[in-house]
Amino acid sequence: MFWHTKPAQVVLEHLHTSLEGLSTLEAQRRLQAEGPNTLPKPKRVTLLQIILHQFVNPLIYILLAAGGLSVAIGEYEDAIFIFAVILLNALIGTYQEAKAESRVSALQELVKSEAVVLRDRKKQLINAEELVRGDIVFLESGTKVPADLRLLEAQNLSIEESLLTGESLPVLKKSEPLSEDSLSVGDRVNLAYAATHVLSGRGIGVVIATGLATEIGKIAESLREVGPQKVPLVERMERFSRKVGIAILAASGGIALLGWYQGMAAADVLFTAIALAVSAIPEGLPVALTVALSIATARMARRNVIVRQLATVEGLGSCTYIASDKTGTLTVDQQTAKKIILPSGEELDITGQGYNGEGEILAPPQLRPAVEALVEAVTLCNEGVLRRTATGWQ
């Protein structure tokens, strides 16, 4: 169905709905049939998985083998030290990664969105996850589009779609049907897409897709097919472990052959080879690496960056260049007024940054009436809401 080419009435009839919206009973029936309006979430990582992940390291494999060999030949002190090193490494890594997972879970709870819909012929505020195809949704400036919509009304409706198109300029929407079938996502100006933001104006739309069927859902589905990539540190550790393993095996084998050639007893030859292998393994290296990565992870946390796996922070540190063709993609997407120029020509600076209630207009007393008139005008002419909550400004 090319939704953007169909008249509004045809779209409504195809979705078995009307401008009066769905009934609560019908919405519940569709929700059970279609599923919630969410993207699939990865399974939450359990504490056991985090603990086991600490042992997925070639160097740890070598240490475990060395510890087992130490027990086999009766070198219990060496074995205790090696296993203590492995345990300490696992404890540090588990603590940092478990803390990161808990922060990620807390963030996911914060990003839940709501939508104003027409249910039972009345406007209702519901969780966006409960939206179904055929729901009539109301949009206004400052809101996030909760699902893919075919717009039925658009009054100076401007939506920022850089998430999908990469274009930082907002798109002015309209409700009339379009003539061409094969238009790109950015050119379907009578559609509004999930996860994009309304910058100005008002609009009414009917839900045409939810969850994975939305444009953002299709992107999420395609990303699931991309396998995990190894960070530079893991690749180097694997190369290093292979070299160490080969060198230790070669040296131990050479010593064993030399001892056997000189007539040493088989038990003594085996003991010497194993002792050499155990002594050559750098037991302290995993802990040293984990401590260094843990410190880096803590520093990133102080800058409000969550690192879920310790090795990832080294991957970020390995970046030498970041190439981007869109500045809007890298910014926090929070416009900040920094200066006021009055009709008389005076320039006034404004302090503060971002979406919060901090900052002031630096104006001398004689200009205060003009500033107050301006503030009153811009307050009346926008629909933005700024409020302080227990977790910060929203």
Side-chain angles (χ1 to χ4, degrees):
M1 171 70 74
F2 293 104
W3 299 105
H4 59 282
T5 64
K6 306 300 180 185
Q9 189 57 40
V10 173
V11 173
L12 293 173
E13 291 174 359
H14 185 84
L15 294 170
H16 303 290
T17 186
S18 69
L19 292 174
E20 296 177 349
L22 301 173
S23 66
T24 299
L25 189 63
E26 174 63 15
Q28 291 175 349
R29 188 191 67 78
R30 296 190 184 192
L31 184 62
Q32 290 179 347
E34 302 174 5
N37 177 35
T38 58
L39 299 182
K41 297 179 181 178
K43 292 182 179 179
R44 187 170 181 178
V45 181
T46 65
L47 181 61
L48 178 60
Q49 289 175 314
I50 294 174
I51 294 173
L52 293 177
H53 179 260
Q54 309 310 313
F55 298 94
V56 183
N57 184 319
L59 199 55
I60 296 296
Y61 301 155
I62 295 176
L63 287 178
L64 288 170
L69 291 173
S70 297
V71 172
I73 64 177
E75 292 292 329
Y76 298 113
E77 291 184 359
D78 285 348
I80 291 172
F81 175 75
I82 291 173
F83 289 131
V85 166
I86 294 173
L87 181 61
L88 178 61
N89 180 77
L91 287 174
I92 295 173
T94 299
Y95 171 74
Q96 288 290 353
E97 293 188 12
K99 188 165 64 173
E101 284 297 329
S102 65
R103 288 172 175 165
V104 170
S105 299
L107 278 179
Q108 289 175 344
E109 291 299 316
L110 288 176
V111 296
K112 290 184 177 179
S113 61
E114 296 175 322
V116 178
V117 301
L118 202 58
R119 293 267 179 93
D120 298 323
R121 301 184 180 183
K122 294 184 296 184
K123 279 189 178 182
Q124 299 181 25
L125 181 66
I126 66 170
N127 193 313
E129 295 182 1
E130 301 173 11
L131 283 176
V132 294
R133 293 201 313 155
D135 262 325
I136 303 298
V137 177
F138 294 84
L139 302 175
E140 63 180 27
S141 56
T143 60
K144 184 165 73 171
V145 181
D148 283 7
L149 310 175
R150 167 63 165 90
L151 295 172
L152 307 176
E153 294 183 17
Q155 301 171 7
N156 297 318
L157 184 63
S158 176
I159 298 181
E160 191 266 319
E161 298 179 343
S162 61
L163 179 72
L164 292 174
T165 65
E167 297 297 333
S168 58
L169 293 177
V171 179
L172 186 62
K173 297 292 184 176
K174 63 179 185 178
S175 59
E176 293 78 14
L178 306 175
S179 57
E180 295 183 43
D181 290 343
S182 57
L183 291 175
S184 65
V185 170
D187 292 330
R188 300 172 193 172
V189 293
N190 57 6
L191 301 185
Y193 301 104
T196 60
H197 288 82
V198 179
L199 296 185
S200 62
R202 292 175 178 269
I204 301 175
V206 58
V207 177
I208 57 175
T210 61
L212 282 176
T214 62
E215 291 297 328
I216 192 69
K218 295 173 185 176
I219 295 175
E221 184 69 14
S222 66
L223 290 177
R224 292 172 65 183
E225 302 172 2
V226 180
Q229 304 295 313
K230 293 180 180 178
V231 297
L233 178 64
V234 172
E235 293 180 346
R236 290 200 296 269
M237 284 294 295
E238 288 179 352
R239 288 198 299 267
F240 175 75
S241 299
R242 283 196 297 269
K243 292 177 182 178
V244 168
I246 292 171
I248 290 174
L249 288 175
S252 299
I255 292 295
L257 287 173
L258 182 61
W260 176 77
Y261 178 77
Q262 292 179 345
M264 292 176 61
D268 291 339
V269 170
L270 180 62
F271 180 88
T272 302
I274 292 175
L276 175 64
V278 172
S279 63
I281 293 172
E283 295 93 343
L285 181 58
V287 173
L289 277 174
T290 301
V291 169
L293 294 175
S294 180
I295 292 172
T297 300
R299 289 176 176 171
M300 294 295 284
R302 288 197 292 269
R303 290 167 171 80
N304 300 319
V305 177
I306 297 175
V307 180
R308 300 180 74 169
Q309 295 185 3
L310 292 182
T312 309
V313 75
E314 190 274 342
L316 179 61
S318 298
C319 292
T320 52
Y321 294 97
I322 296 176
S324 173
D325 67 336
K326 293 285 188 292
T327 56
T329 310
L330 299 178
T331 59
V332 295
D333 197 24
Q334 293 188 4
Q335 295 180 347
T336 304
K338 302 299 292 182
K339 189 181 291 291
I340 291 175
I341 302 178
L342 297 175
S344 53
E346 289 90 346
E347 295 187 7
L348 307 177
D349 292 323
I350 307 174
T351 63
Q353 186 168 346
Y355 291 168
N356 57 64
E358 300 166 3
E360 59 180 332
I361 300 172
L362 305 179
Q366 65 271 21
L367 295 179
R368 188 173 182 85
V371 172
E372 289 178 348
L374 175 63
V375 169
E376 180 181 8
V378 298
T379 303
L380 294 174
C381 290
N382 79 80
E383 298 168 328
V385 177
L386 183 67
R387 58 181 179 270
R388 185 195 291 272
T389 67
T391 57
W393 289 93
Q394 292 184 346

